[in-house]
Amino acid sequence: MAPGNGPQLRDNVSRVKQSSPAGKSIFVGLRAADVFWQYNLLYRGWGIRLIEKLGGHSVHSSLVLNPLTVTGLQPYYGLVTLLSLGSSVKQIVHIILVSEQAMDVGSGCTIGFFNTIFNTINTLLSLWAVASPAASSLESTSLLDTFSSPLIAVGSTAYAIGLLAEATSEFQRKAFKQDPKNKGKPYGGGLFSLAININYGAYTTWRGAYALICGGILWGATTFGFFFRDFATRGVPVLDEYMSQRYGDAYREIKARVRYSLIPGIY
């Protein structure tokens, strides 16, 4: 969007390619620490105590802890911990093996804490008796019993698909960019042939699914809507401007060929 024709587009990530050991190290550290934070909110009862201090009604601690499991948690809460682990591992792998963009210390802190805040809200909602969608399966003795809940089964499937699609698409683009024959060319193959910004759509999907498993349909829809709106009104336009300026007709040819922007078959 040209200056003077509307609001200035804001990009939340740098498009400059350079090494950023300090910022990326902080980001990796925060994402790794998040897994332990989410686990301790559950295992040590920090989350339950916080909910009760805020005047809420939490699930009973006996429905959270299970000394017979590897994690010491009931299967549902083992799943909640696994969701935070999956999100952190994916993002750490991306920043170490895929990303070439600069990340200063401020961005490393901001993005790291942003993800932890969302994960913490999810964990707390899973402990809040009013919101937790797993009330009927908290006493289940196996993870398989937990998946008998349609909401948890659907959410887990969407989470896995979204996380794998985001990671796969980014690795496909990385491989394309590393081939000297493709220097100066935009990538529109692999999963990006299904949607121009499929990595954004995949992120939106697993974020919404994560929220669905922890907080139910309303929170899941709210989270999905938040990220979908942000990408559709800010992320996609600013990236479209950047790609058009950098690649010109080659990028416009991809846009003409790929019908969808975020989620194949939907948008």
Side-chain angles (χ1 to χ4, degrees):
M1 185 177 294
N5 291 343
Q8 182 68 38
L9 294 174
R10 185 189 79 257
D11 202 348
N12 287 343
V13 297
S14 172
R15 300 295 170 183
V16 177
K17 294 183 179 181
Q18 68 180 44
S19 176
S20 306
K24 290 184 177 181
S25 294
I26 289 174
F27 176 80
V28 169
L30 288 174
R31 297 306 295 125
D34 177 66
V35 179
F36 295 96
W37 168 248
Q38 304 306 328
Y39 176 75
N40 282 294
L41 282 173
L42 298 169
Y43 185 74
R44 298 186 181 277
W46 297 346
I48 287 178
R49 290 196 289 272
L50 178 57
I51 290 171
E52 292 174 348
K53 283 184 178 180
L54 294 174
H57 177 59
S58 66
V59 299
H60 194 277
S61 60
S62 64
L63 298 178
V64 179
L65 303 177
N66 184 343
L68 300 179
T69 62
V70 174
T71 61
L73 300 169
Q74 290 286 1
Y76 168 69
Y77 287 107
L79 174 62
V80 172
T81 301
L82 189 61
L83 298 177
S84 69
L85 174 63
S87 69
S88 291
V89 169
K90 187 272 158 191
Q91 292 177 334
I92 289 172
V93 169
H94 171 80
I95 208 69
I96 294 176
L97 300 180
V98 178
S99 178
E100 297 179 346
Q101 277 77 28
M103 176 179 281
D104 58 31
V105 171
S107 296
C109 291
T110 300
I111 299 173
F113 281 121
F114 176 82
N115 280 278
T116 293
I117 289 170
F118 259 94
N119 289 359
T120 299
I121 293 173
N122 287 336
T123 298
L124 293 177
L125 287 175
S126 76
L127 291 167
W128 187 30
V130 175
S132 179
S136 62
S137 61
L138 286 176
E139 296 182 3
S140 63
T141 57
S142 70
L143 194 58
L144 185 61
D145 292 334
T146 300
F147 283 120
S148 65
S149 164
L151 187 148
I152 293 176
V154 170
S156 298
T157 301
Y159 174 88
I161 291 174
L163 206 68
L164 288 172
E166 185 185 19
T168 300
S169 65
E170 290 168 346
F171 272 107
Q172 288 176 332
R173 182 174 58 189
K174 175 75 171 182
F176 176 86
K177 292 292 186 180
Q178 287 181 321
D179 189 337
K181 295 184 298 184
N182 299 321
K183 185 177 181 180
K185 298 179 182 178
Y187 180 58
L191 293 180
F192 282 98
S193 67
L194 304 178
I196 295 176
N197 305 285
I198 195 167
N199 54 331
Y200 287 176
Y203 179 86
T204 301
T205 298
W206 72 254
R207 266 291 170 206
Y210 189 163
L212 177 70
I213 294 169
C214 295
I217 295 176
L218 180 60
W219 176 239
T222 299
T223 300
F224 182 90
F226 170 81
F227 285 104
F228 185 90
R229 183 181 183 279
D230 178 61
F231 284 132
T233 62
R234 181 202 56 78
V236 170
V238 75
L239 183 58
D240 183 66
E241 179 184 61
Y242 168 80
M243 295 290 286
S244 296
Q245 292 177 351
R246 181 172 182 180
Y247 297 108
D249 290 339
Y251 176 64
R252 284 186 279 274
E253 288 176 4
I254 292 176
K255 286 188 65 178
R257 170 169 52 84
V258 181
R259 179 179 178 184
Y260 297 100
S261 178
L262 282 173
I263 302 176
I266 297 176
Y267 181 87

